Amino acid sequence: MTIFNLIVPILVSFVLTAVQGFWVIPYLKKLKYGQTILEDGPSWHKKKQGTPTMGGIMFIFGIEVAVVVGYLTYQLTSKQGGVFRENVVYLIAGALMALGFGFLGFLDDYIKVVKKRNLGLKARQKLLGQLIIGIAYLAAIGAFGNHSTAIEVPFFGPVELSWFYYPFLLFIIVAEVNAVNLTDGIDGLCTSVTFVAAMGFMVIAALVSNDEMNILAAALAGGCLGFLCWNLHPAKVFMGDTGSLFLGGMVIALAFGLNMPLVLLLIGFIYMIETLSVVLQVISFKLTGKRIFKMSPIHHHFELSGWSEGKIVMVFSFVTLLGVLLSIAFVVMG
């Protein structure tokens, strides 16, 4: 794959996402699609009340268009053009899965903002939707993609899972998409962490010569960068569940498309820690009546410890970068 084939999806995604902000954000304000700040968040978040949400539609459009344009450009200019590769199945299925998660998040946001039901979809409704989307994705890659039931364990090699393969992958999908959703709690955090992860996936895809996943990762990186133009502190727009669930789907699509779902333990370390902090907080409070953290997810703990939102974003992005470097080392050594 040439540099040109990478620049195209990055630029298309970045420009489409960034430019949309000039009319999408005012339109969301006009519709009064403002974020409702929950009582159990940090008190100073109240000043963010009314900031437009559902802004994830900006990068969803930018990324999906960039994937199409990027792949068509690749077909026209690459030596691989016109040759059907198995990776195309993962590209199409992954982009559609992310779109499905984005639509589920849109329904959740719509109920919160328009119907004024603060918690959105009920937990079981959201879980059912995630399971349906995850099963549909696994059915697609199982029918048309790689039929191996072995999974790559970082620094150890392939492990055969047999019948447990698909249930395990489904668990990863649901856990990861919710983990990314939890990371979206302060200005620019989820977008920045996902941008660094996308860049890591670009390098890994290049190392294993997976051009299709490189296109997907490039589009994701460009979309995140374009959205950061509006989402960095102080945020002019929030992505909402519309955006965070979509980003979760994209991260999953990349890891699965590279046949390295467990690399999410490294590249997605921050997502995992955010989830773990919530789980530990709940368990501790139910068993002992005491909380481990000042507030969960853990980014709120650091906020209440005096860290600025900008510092949290920088530190969490740096930790993600370390996970990316470990992942690259895993690929190089493996």
Side-chain angles (χ1 to χ4, degrees), residues 173-252:
I173 289 173
V174 174
E176 186 68 16
V177 77
N178 283 296
V180 176
N181 182 232
L182 286 173
T183 308
D184 180 36
I186 60 176
D187 298 356
L189 178 60
C190 187
T191 321
S192 298
V193 168
T194 305
F195 169 74
V196 176
M199 295 298 291
F201 278 120
M202 282 178 61
V203 175
I204 293 173
L207 289 172
V208 300
S209 300
N210 191 324
D211 296 342
E212 287 76 10
M213 289 304 103
N214 221 336
I215 292 169
L216 198 66
L220 176 59
C224 287
L225 199 58
F227 192 66
L228 279 172
C229 295
W230 304 98
N231 188 234
L232 280 176
H233 183 75
K236 304 296 187 298
V237 66
F238 299 140
M239 68 176 68
D241 283 6
T242 304
S244 59
L245 292 183
F246 174 84
L247 292 183
M250 287 292 291
V251 170
I252 293 163

Side-chain angles (χ1 to χ4, degrees), residues 27-221:
Y27 185 68
L28 291 174
K29 286 182 178 179
K30 183 179 178 180
L31 293 176
K32 299 187 182 199
Y33 285 4
Q35 178 73 38
T36 299
I37 305 300
L38 300 178
E39 293 293 337
D40 55 358
S43 59
W44 52 86
H45 280 205
K46 282 292 181 183
K47 64 185 179 181
K48 301 181 181 185
Q49 184 90 19
T51 301
T53 188
M54 301 168 69
I57 57 176
M58 292 160 56
F59 57 71
I60 290 176
F61 177 76
I63 290 171
E64 294 288 352
V65 171
V67 169
V68 174
V69 173
Y71 181 69
L72 291 177
T73 303
Y74 168 76
Q75 284 290 305
L76 291 171
T77 61
S78 171
K79 292 180 181 179
Q80 296 291 335
V83 179
F84 179 81
R85 290 152 52 103
E86 188 180 80
N87 295 334
V88 177
V89 173
Y90 288 89
L91 177 69
I92 297 172
L96 290 177
M97 173 184 59
L99 196 59
F101 280 126
F103 179 70
L104 184 65
F106 175 81
L107 291 178
D108 193 42
D109 286 334
Y110 184 82
I111 292 171
K112 289 176 185 174
V113 177
V114 180
K115 297 298 183 182
K116 307 300 181 184
R117 201 170 84 197
N118 214 23
L119 296 178
L121 288 170
K122 294 178 182 177
R124 63 176 178 272
Q125 293 173 326
K126 190 181 289 187
L127 177 60
L128 178 61
Q130 292 169 353
L131 287 172
I132 291 173
I133 295 168
I135 290 171
Y137 170 72
L138 292 176
I141 64 174
F144 302 104
N146 180 14
H147 295 280
S148 170
T149 54
I151 194 168
E152 286 285 340
V153 179
F155 303 107
F156 288 95
V159 174
E160 178 60 49
L161 295 183
S162 187
W163 64 269
F164 188 58
Y165 181 73
Y166 286 109
F168 182 63
L169 292 188
L170 183 59
F171 169 78
I172 293 177
I173 289 173
V174 174
E176 186 68 16
V177 77
N178 283 296
V180 176
N181 182 232
L182 286 173
T183 308
D184 180 36
I186 60 176
D187 298 356
L189 178 60
C190 187
T191 321
S192 298
V193 168
T194 305
F195 169 74
V196 176
M199 295 298 291
F201 278 120
M202 282 178 61
V203 175
I204 293 173
L207 289 172
V208 300
S209 300
N210 191 324
D211 296 342
E212 287 76 10
M213 289 304 103
N214 221 336
I215 292 169
L216 198 66
L220 176 59

Side-chain angles (χ1 to χ4, degrees), residues 194-312:
T194 305
F195 169 74
V196 176
M199 295 298 291
F201 278 120
M202 282 178 61
V203 175
I204 293 173
L207 289 172
V208 300
S209 300
N210 191 324
D211 296 342
E212 287 76 10
M213 289 304 103
N214 221 336
I215 292 169
L216 198 66
L220 176 59
C224 287
L225 199 58
F227 192 66
L228 279 172
C229 295
W230 304 98
N231 188 234
L232 280 176
H233 183 75
K236 304 296 187 298
V237 66
F238 299 140
M239 68 176 68
D241 283 6
T242 304
S244 59
L245 292 183
F246 174 84
L247 292 183
M250 287 292 291
V251 170
I252 293 163
L254 286 165
F256 282 39
L258 292 167
N259 196 29
M260 302 176 190
L262 290 186
V263 82
L264 290 170
L265 295 174
L266 300 174
I267 291 183
F269 182 76
I270 287 296
Y271 304 139
M272 181 179 66
I273 291 300
E274 293 276 21
T275 303
L276 191 60
S277 69
V278 174
V279 173
L280 291 176
Q281 187 87 320
V282 172
I283 292 175
S284 176
F285 187 74
K286 286 189 174 182
L287 292 180
T288 68
K290 296 181 180 179
R291 293 179 172 85
I292 299 174
F293 307 102
K294 294 179 179 180
M295 186 177 290
S296 65
I298 199 168
H299 55 259
H300 288 322
H301 170 82
F302 288 110
E303 270 194 286
L304 293 174
S305 298
W307 287 28
S308 67
E309 293 190 37
K311 180 178 179 179
I312 295 170

